[in-house]
Amino acid sequence: MYKNAAAFVITLYCLLGIGVMATDAQFPIKIPKIKTEKPKVEQPKSTSPADEGSSTGSPASTGSTRSSAVRNSQYGIVKPTANPLLVHDSVYIQTEIHESYWKTPNVKQTSWVPTVRFNVFYDYKAELPYVAEFFNPDGSLWYSETLDADNRSADLTVPFRSKRDTNYRINLRNTRSSIATGVHGIKITNSATGEVAFQGKFKVGKFPVKLSRETKNEYYVDHDWLMPIGSVSFHFSNFVYEDIGNNFPIEVSMWFKKSLGSTDHGLEGRLFYKGQQIATTKPNEREERATPFASVEAPDLYHWRRWDFQWSDKSDKEVNVDNGGSYHPDNMPKAFFVDRNPGEYTVKVFHNGVHVREAKFTVGTDGRVVDGGYQEPGFLSYHKVLIPVTIVGTTEKWNAAAWKTDAFYGNPLSGF
């Protein structure tokens, strides 16, 4: 085709030039950044169907299509699926008090009905028809009700609760309220599938209160089982977006029975690593479990409040998880990264300088908080790990054996 070699070379160069120009017009050239990855470490398998992405940032088993992250993250994305998962530590059963009792309308006495609320980790595609059944102490069915659902929360859970319709509550009070104490049963079922999402029991007690110059009974659900059960967790916002967060604080939560008011009232959480104190902070209140008059008339006996301890930028030192990020202590002089410092940590809580709580947790060589090996009560969201808490001192009156049978409303932790 070509008369001589020179003509062939010139033609070839022309063809290559045209090809390069055409390619450049269609596909912009990107020069990849060269990064040095940390050595990969094997991560423990997730026990949660909704969990969680691998240590290298691979898509979660829920079908996420996000691209793999370059960094070696300890904690991955968490996304709900079409399979609803009831978050077991969100279940809260309490009493609703009425000023009369329908079986004895002429006798001045209070009565009660139970209410329940919980969250479901669920990719909200359709409404879930949950039904709660309540049982008498003898095991017979008391009554059942279809539960109300709220809009999905920021943490990607769907809150459910006892029906709130006013006419329904009045009818329930006039036909179903009780004056019985003791152990009652509960079962929560997805009526569309027949699947039992939760089943357990709750213990109801009573104490006298003075209302309008009359002494009546206040009924309450006993939550003493909460006292020795704490947790190590993180804020959900670090795991719900496609770009996995890093440099987020670690949080340790504990329950207190004494009513300390709406502020910390002298609570201080000190964090120790290898026997040395590395940070101290005051907590933020997050949840309370009490009937109204329990907190007023008997604040130290029938009132439970959870306090969350975070060593953030307001503390003397920030205690964070780097999660495979690029932060360096030289750039954050107040930062201490637990995932870069494996080993045992101790949290000591003081109230007005008096030691009242102590708990330990361990960070493994993989940078994750180690699961204690206890049988979980069910699904717990966003990498939460349960830890034992030691109640120090005798100022709080509580049943130290309650957790063995009553934890998570009759779903105790095996081996805790």
Side-chain angles (χ1 to χ4, degrees), residues 52-65:
E52 276 174 36
S54 72
S55 63
T56 57
S58 60
S61 59
T62 58
S64 171
T65 58

Side-chain angles (χ1 to χ4, degrees), residues 85-287:
L85 298 169
L86 187 146
V87 183
H88 274 59
D89 64 339
S90 71
V91 178
Y92 177 26
I93 305 171
Q94 62 186 136
T95 55
E96 179 181 286
I97 310 299
H98 300 299
E99 295 303 306
S100 61
Y101 181 42
W102 60 283
K103 287 187 177 182
T104 57
N106 296 323
V107 178
K108 293 183 178 181
Q109 61 178 328
T110 52
S111 60
W112 67 279
V113 292
T115 64
V116 63
R117 72 170 187 252
F118 57 88
N119 297 332
V120 176
F121 197 63
Y122 172 60
D123 187 6
Y124 196 79
K125 301 296 185 184
E127 292 187 3
L128 295 173
Y130 281 110
V131 173
E133 296 175 271
F134 297 101
F135 298 87
N136 295 307
D138 63 4
S140 61
L141 178 65
W142 183 0
Y143 70 93
S144 63
E145 64 177 358
T146 301
L147 303 175
D148 288 343
D150 292 332
N151 294 326
R152 194 165 76 161
S153 302
D155 64 356
L156 305 186
T157 63
V158 181
F160 286 82
R161 63 182 67 235
S162 292
K163 186 178 290 293
R164 289 164 288 184
D165 178 77
T166 301
N167 291 331
Y168 172 81
R169 304 309 303 177
I170 293 174
N171 181 67
L172 191 65
R173 176 187 64 194
N174 293 332
T175 61
R176 290 290 185 270
S177 66
S178 174
I179 58 173
T181 58
V183 178
H184 294 69
I186 182 174
K187 182 166 69 173
I188 300 170
T189 305
N190 183 335
S191 61
T193 63
E195 177 187 3
V196 177
F198 182 86
Q199 189 164 2
K201 59 184 181 179
F202 57 100
K203 185 181 298 182
V204 175
K206 65 181 180 180
F207 63 92
V209 295
K210 193 169 186 179
L211 298 174
S212 301
R213 300 180 181 179
E214 297 176 357
T215 300
K216 298 182 180 180
N217 288 322
E218 169 77 359
Y219 296 90
Y220 68 97
V221 176
D222 194 327
H223 288 97
D224 268 357
W225 58 267
L226 288 165
M227 297 290 282
I229 301 175
S231 65
V232 181
S233 61
F234 314 97
H235 196 270
F236 70 86
S237 61
N238 300 294
F239 308 109
V240 299
Y241 305 109
E242 296 301 319
D243 182 20
I244 301 299
N246 56 36
N247 187 36
F248 45 82
I250 195 167
E251 183 175 273
V252 177
S253 302
M254 302 179 188
W255 289 88
F256 292 78
K257 194 169 184 180
K258 292 185 67 174
S259 176
L260 301 172
S262 58
T263 60
D264 57 72
H265 277 250
L267 279 181
E268 176 195 6
R270 303 176 189 173
L271 183 63
F272 296 79
Y273 176 60
K274 293 184 176 180
Q276 299 296 317
Q277 181 175 318
I278 60 173
T280 182
T281 188
K282 294 181 178 181
N284 294 316
E285 175 194 356
R286 282 295 180 270
E287 183 182 352

Side-chain angles (χ1 to χ4, degrees), residues 37-41 43 55-57 69-74 323-324:
E37 287 191 313
K38 299 177 182 179
K40 295 181 179 180
V41 292
Q43 302 296 336
S55 63
T56 57
V70 175
R71 74 173 189 270
N72 189 22
S73 302
Q74 284 79 26
N323 204 35

